[in-house]
Amino acid sequence: MSGPYKGVRVLELTSTVSGPFAGMMLADQGADVIKIEPPGIGDLARFMGTIKDGMGAMFSTLNRNKKCICLDFKNEEDLEVLKKLVSTADVLIENYRPGIVKKLGIDYESLSKINPDLIYCSISGYGQSGPYKEKKVYDPLIQGTVGIPLAQNNQSPELIRTIIYDKVTGLTSAQAISAALYQKAIGEGGQYLPISMMESALYYNWPDLMMNYTFDEGGVNIGELADLFEVYETNDGGVVLIIIANDEVFTKFCTVFDLSLHLDDKYNNLVSRIINKEELTIEINKVTRFLSSKELEDKMDREGISASICNELNEVYKDPQVVEQGSITEINHPELGIMRMPKPPANLKGQSSFPRSLAPILGYDNREVLSSINIDDDTIQRMEDREKQNREMLASLMQANEE
């Protein structure tokens, strides 16, 4: 391990995105993250989205730098193994639905008796209480609750095409765990950290998206920040231009293209440009659509007007700024070939090359991890035999499905 969390052991009892994202961040910063999955299929994210030779692309990103073991919490022997691991851990992260961990006997109250210094992070959709706590939650539900679809389009509600609040919750959880580790380091012991996707989303959204609902009374509504931005057409795509917000910038843009829009009462001030934004966009597109995206961006750069090409997703990692910064790491996976993933934005003292290890196959680290806590060889062998049998059965099912 390398980085500031070298020596910190994290047990990750999570699946899909929010919990694995939190574990990924801690692992990237040097923590010894042990991902504990159920036997058989394991984390369903292994089979979500783009898959190559049994490895999901999303899973491979979220679970780099981790170890993986398999435990069945309904098996008494496996449960005792978990409890022994808990006695060695600094952090436990889980994202079961509220109430499940208590039924399994692995809730904070139970495990803190084994390890009073344990930092126990419970990630949920809507929280551990309230009318929504029993919902089976996915990111789009949280988007709906916090108003995102109507914020995108109040005539025809639209979801954001990314699981934004799963990832925001992962970021929030990792930061909260970091703060809890600091408190533990100064002698304040362990603690319980219930973190919901809903509250993470509200915390993230509020500064700008909810600015017109911050003051209960009074205040002048000057519109949404999003009203100040627009994508304008080019002959090969589009370019984001920031020209509406400032009179001087808008006038400069009009001068560059020999337009008189800045003299028109409909567009000669900020409020008028926002009110008549749709018409203004049509007028601007009449001149921008004759240029390529690169030509328009270069033209705006020369004039000091903020502009950015809208990259296709398959062009993002080829963007010259991304390339120059070395923001994307290419890895030659021994079985999957060339893979790409973004390096962590912060490279902290003592960190080695990235990534330290690739996402593990299910149960890959059973023997190493369990031997380190003196689990007897018969128990380890039983688990290895179980996982081998499960892998063979799953491979047969996948082959039959392909045929």
Side-chain angles (χ1 to χ4, degrees):
M1 298 298 141
S2 65
Y5 288 138
K6 181 180 180 180
V8 172
R9 171 165 280 185
V10 178
L11 305 182
E12 186 198 297
L13 285 60
T14 74
S15 62
T16 317
V17 178
S18 59
F21 200 108
M24 176 194 74
M25 291 190 67
L26 298 172
D28 284 349
Q29 293 167 358
D32 176 20
V33 177
I34 301 171
K35 184 176 181 67
I36 303 176
E37 298 180 62
I41 293 177
D43 185 345
L44 289 176
R46 288 180 177 274
F47 305 97
M48 289 181 177
T50 301
I51 301 171
K52 184 176 182 181
D53 295 339
M55 176 66 76
M58 182 174 73
F59 182 90
S60 69
T61 297
L62 291 171
N63 294 286
R64 64 198 181 214
N65 294 332
K66 299 177 185 178
K67 297 172 184 173
C68 176
I69 68 171
C70 290
L71 294 177
D72 179 358
F73 299 144
K74 295 179 182 178
N75 177 295
E76 198 60 39
E77 193 175 33
D78 284 21
L79 190 57
E80 288 305 309
V81 171
L82 174 69
K83 291 177 179 178
K84 197 162 185 180
L85 275 170
V86 166
S87 69
T88 71
D90 298 285
V91 178
L92 184 147
I93 311 170
E94 61 90 5
N95 66 350
Y96 288 93
R97 273 192 287 173
I100 299 296
V101 289
K102 189 168 183 64
K103 289 179 182 177
L104 292 170
I106 57 173
D107 55 310
Y108 175 69
E109 185 178 350
S110 300
L111 297 186
S112 62
K113 292 174 183 176
I114 299 170
N115 182 354
D117 285 337
L118 183 67
I119 296 164
Y120 189 112
C121 179
S122 288
I123 298 173
S124 63
Y126 285 105
Q128 301 295 318
S129 62
Y132 299 168
K133 75 172 185 177
E134 299 294 340
K135 283 181 181 285
K136 190 173 184 180
V137 180
Y138 299 93
D139 188 280
L141 271 68
I142 302 300
Q143 290 191 36
T145 298
V146 300
I148 283 295
L150 284 164
Q152 301 303 300
N153 187 329
N154 61 13
Q155 301 300 317
S156 179
E158 298 175 1
L159 294 167
I160 298 175
R161 292 182 61 84
T162 181
I163 44 177
I164 184 170
Y165 296 122
D166 268 310
K167 292 179 285 187
V168 165
T169 304
L171 286 164
T172 303
S173 299
Q175 194 282 325
I177 290 167
S178 297
L181 283 167
Y182 176 77
Q183 288 185 303
K184 180 179 176 179
I186 61 175
E188 295 186 17
Q191 60 184 294
Y192 179 52
L193 296 173
I195 296 174
S196 77
M197 290 175 65
M198 182 188 73
E199 290 191 329
S200 299
L202 291 170
Y203 192 82
Y204 176 82
N205 287 349
W206 207 272
D208 61 325
L209 194 65
M210 299 298 290
M211 64 183 179
N212 292 321
Y213 305 94
T214 297
F215 300 122
D216 189 48
E217 294 182 1
V220 178
N221 185 336
I222 60 168
E224 308 291 345
L225 289 181
D227 293 334
L228 305 178
F229 319 134
E230 188 57 82
V231 178
Y232 297 100
E233 294 178 19
T234 61
N235 63 24
D236 59 356
V239 171
V240 178
L241 297 179
I242 312 300
I243 57 175
I244 292 177
N246 182 282
D247 288 345
E248 183 179 346
V249 171
F250 183 67
T251 298
K252 180 185 285 189
F253 176 87
C254 291
T255 301
V256 168
F257 283 97
D258 196 23
L259 302 173
S260 59
L261 297 173
H262 59 299
L263 304 176
D264 191 320
D265 289 343
K266 291 195 297 184
Y267 312 125
N268 66 3
N269 61 77
L270 172 60
V271 174
S272 295
R273 286 192 291 275
I274 291 176
I275 292 171
N276 299 293
K277 185 180 177 182
E278 288 187 15
E279 293 176 62
L280 178 59
T281 300
I282 291 170
E283 292 300 320
I284 292 173
N285 282 338
K286 289 177 181 178
V287 295
T288 60
R289 65 167 58 110
F290 290 102
L291 299 174
S292 70
S293 297
K294 182 60 177 168
E295 288 170 339
L296 180 56
E297 183 187 45
D298 287 347
K299 195 178 189 72
M300 295 298 93
D301 285 348
R302 288 193 295 272
E303 299 297 333
I305 296 174
S306 298
S308 173
I309 292 174
C310 294
N311 285 325
E312 296 279 352
L313 292 180
N314 63 359
E315 297 172 338
V316 170
Y317 63 90
K318 304 172 188 174
D319 186 284
Q321 185 66 23
V322 173
V323 172
E324 193 280 334
Q325 292 283 296
S327 305
I328 304 299
T329 298
E330 286 200 349
I331 304 142
N332 192 1
H333 193 286
E335 296 176 4
L336 304 177
I338 298 296
M339 297 175 60
R340 302 180 190 90
M341 61 181 69
K343 69 178 185 182
N347 186 39
L348 299 159
K349 285 183 179 179
Q351 290 195 280
S352 60
S353 58
F354 172 82
R356 297 190 312 277
S357 62
L358 303 174
I361 63 173
L362 192 60
Y364 182 81
D365 300 289
N366 274 6
R367 183 164 291 276
E368 177 189 342
V369 172
L370 301 187
S371 296
S372 74
I373 57 170
N374 299 316
I375 300 299
D376 66 87
D377 194 66
D378 287 346
T379 298
I380 297 173
Q381 189 62 52
R382 173 183 64 80
M383 293 181 179
E384 289 184 334
D385 291 344
R386 178 183 63 191
E387 293 320 308
K388 181 182 178 183
Q389 183 179 11
N390 286 334
R391 279 196 297 272
E392 290 172 352
M393 182 175 64
L394 185 60
S396 296
L397 288 171
M398 291 180 72
Q399 184 177 1
N401 187 52
E402 289 174 2
E403 293 173 355

